Amino acid sequence: MSSTPCPALPPQIAKMNPACKYNVIDFYYDGGVPRLMENLQTMLETDAMTVTAHTLAENIASHKYRYPATGLVNHTMDDPFGYTGGVAVLRGNLAPDTGITKPGAFDKSLHHFEGEAICFDSEEAAEEAILAGKVRDGHVVVIRYEGPKGGPGMREMYKAMKYLYGRGLSKTTALITDGRFSGTNNGCFVGHISPEAAEGGPIAIIHDGDRIVIDIESRRLDLMVPQEEIDARLKAWKRPEPKFKKGWLGLYCKIAASGSEGAVLKFDNL
């Protein structure tokens, strides 16, 4: 991908923790949402009426700022932080139905990461291994069976990323999962990988030691294993027993849709 601005994406004109060292309070001192809307107004429907009984344009024009602009958090359209946005959708042989990452929140040196897989079939197993020092520089931590069906409920994998950060591994490792992430994470990660492991997605057949490539520029997530080997592993894969077989969670394990479809309930799967 070239560095030419993409007309389909609005420029990234505000950035704060975990994407940079500045936090919400710095955003407030730099004008907060009003300054953001002022800078972004050429892309807004400013003639829309608001609850103030004035249009958005009138609200922007009449706003009184308490502090002078610092330019640390809010940038203008002419001087954005970047043109790629904070979130990227990846595809590849490990994410046929997509995975989601947040390149705006981690160092650009990690926008191309190739490493060795170390696999875990639950969030807890990964966290124990990280804290025990089993995860090393160059590892791609694979956490699977935590998607909508497998979790069940697509649990949030924030602890593993925090532990990697705390052990000084946030710039030398990566993490991929069919679980999800919140907005507070920092480091090279790909979540929401679909199809999930519990549905027989390719993330289920990764072996320890396999090479994995995360390439933000090309929007790719790939397992560096011959396709014939991937096909053979998928054919030999056996679906594990669901974590719940009764009650609401048992039902959810059975009929939850893929993360790429919103993890909604699909009653036609009954």
Side-chain angles (χ1 to χ4, degrees), residues 191-242:
H192 305 243
I193 291 174
S194 301
E196 63 175 293
E199 288 189 321
I203 190 174
I205 53 85
I206 303 172
H207 291 177
D208 286 345
D210 285 346
R211 303 296 294 179
I212 293 173
V213 174
I214 302 169
D215 194 319
I216 303 302
E217 185 173 344
S218 62
R219 300 295 196 262
R220 298 286 304 181
L221 175 64
D222 290 298
L223 178 64
M224 306 307 288
V225 170
Q227 188 59 48
E228 296 80 5
E229 173 66 16
I230 293 175
D231 293 340
R233 292 185 190 180
L234 287 171
K235 186 176 181 180
W237 175 79
K238 292 186 180 354
R239 187 185 306 276
E241 290 291 317

Side-chain angles (χ1 to χ4, degrees), residues 110 112-119 134-142 164 168-176 188 208-214:
L110 297 171
H112 182 95
F113 190 97
E114 180 173 349
E116 177 183 315
I118 180 169
C119 302
K134 296 179 181 178
V135 175
R136 307 183 309 273
D137 293 347
H139 269 149
V140 178
V141 178
V142 179
L164 289 173
L169 295 168
S170 63
K171 291 186 178 181
T172 58
T173 60
L175 188 151
I176 68 171
C188 183
D208 286 345
D210 285 346
R211 303 296 294 179
I212 293 173
V213 174
I214 302 169

Side-chain angles (χ1 to χ4, degrees), residues 70-93:
T70 66
L72 298 175
V73 182
N74 272 320
H75 280 204
T76 64
M77 296 283 281
D78 295 330
D79 181 32
F81 289 102
Y83 290 95
T84 59
V87 176
V89 178
L90 308 187
R91 290 177 171 81
N93 65 9

Side-chain angles (χ1 to χ4, degrees), residues 7-267:
L9 290 171
Q12 186 179 9
I13 63 173
K15 184 182 281 194
M16 66 197 82
N17 183 278
C20 71
K21 65 180 181 180
Y22 300 109
N23 220 313
V24 176
I25 188 64
D26 302 296
F27 179 56
Y28 170 71
Y29 286 137
D30 202 16
V33 172
R35 183 92 65 193
L36 178 65
M37 290 195 298
E38 179 182 349
N39 293 339
L40 195 61
Q41 63 184 310
T42 58
M43 302 189 73
L44 302 177
E45 294 183 10
T46 55
D47 58 346
M49 184 59 65
T50 71
V51 294
T52 66
H54 297 282
T55 66
L56 183 58
E58 291 170 334
N59 289 342
I60 292 172
S62 64
H63 184 78
K64 299 292 191 294
Y65 294 102
R66 297 187 62 182
Y67 305 98
T70 66
L72 298 175
V73 182
N74 272 320
H75 280 204
T76 64
M77 296 283 281
D78 295 330
D79 181 32
F81 289 102
Y83 290 95
T84 59
V87 176
V89 178
L90 308 187
R91 290 177 171 81
N93 65 9
L94 267 182
D97 294 339
T98 72
I100 305 295
T101 187
K102 194 171 64 171
F106 56 83
D107 194 87
K108 287 188 177 180
S109 65
L110 297 171
H111 283 199
H112 182 95
F113 190 97
E114 180 173 349
E116 177 183 315
I118 180 169
C119 302
F120 305 97
D121 290 346
S122 72
E123 174 190 9
E124 290 81 5
E127 292 165 2
E128 289 175 8
I130 294 168
L131 292 175
K134 296 179 181 178
V135 175
R136 307 183 309 273
D137 293 347
H139 269 149
V140 178
V141 178
V142 179
I143 305 179
R144 56 197 176 196
Y145 297 104
E146 294 290 8
K149 284 186 170 69
M154 207 172 194
R155 298 197 298 166
E156 185 181 348
M157 303 291 106
Y158 73 95
K159 282 187 180 180
M161 294 302 303
K162 304 297 187 191
Y163 291 157
L164 289 173
Y165 182 86
R167 294 188 65 85
L169 295 168
S170 63
K171 291 186 178 181
T172 58
T173 60
L175 188 151
I176 68 171
T177 180
D178 50 10
R180 65 183 177 88
F181 288 103
S182 75
T184 67
N185 287 108
N186 185 304
C188 183
F189 60 84
V190 184
H192 305 243
I193 291 174
S194 301
E196 63 175 293
E199 288 189 321
I203 190 174
I205 53 85
I206 303 172
H207 291 177
D208 286 345
D210 285 346
R211 303 296 294 179
I212 293 173
V213 174
I214 302 169
D215 194 319
I216 303 302
E217 185 173 344
S218 62
R219 300 295 196 262
R220 298 286 304 181
L221 175 64
D222 290 298
L223 178 64
M224 306 307 288
V225 170
Q227 188 59 48
E228 296 80 5
E229 173 66 16
I230 293 175
D231 293 340
R233 292 185 190 180
L234 287 171
K235 186 176 181 180
W237 175 79
K238 292 186 180 354
R239 187 185 306 276
E241 290 291 317
K243 295 176 182 175
F244 297 89
K245 297 182 181 180
K246 296 180 180 180
W248 170 251
L249 289 178
L251 179 65
Y252 191 88
C253 287
K254 186 173 183 179
I255 67 174
S258 167
S260 63
E261 298 178 272
V264 297
L265 297 181
K266 298 186 75 171
F267 288 96

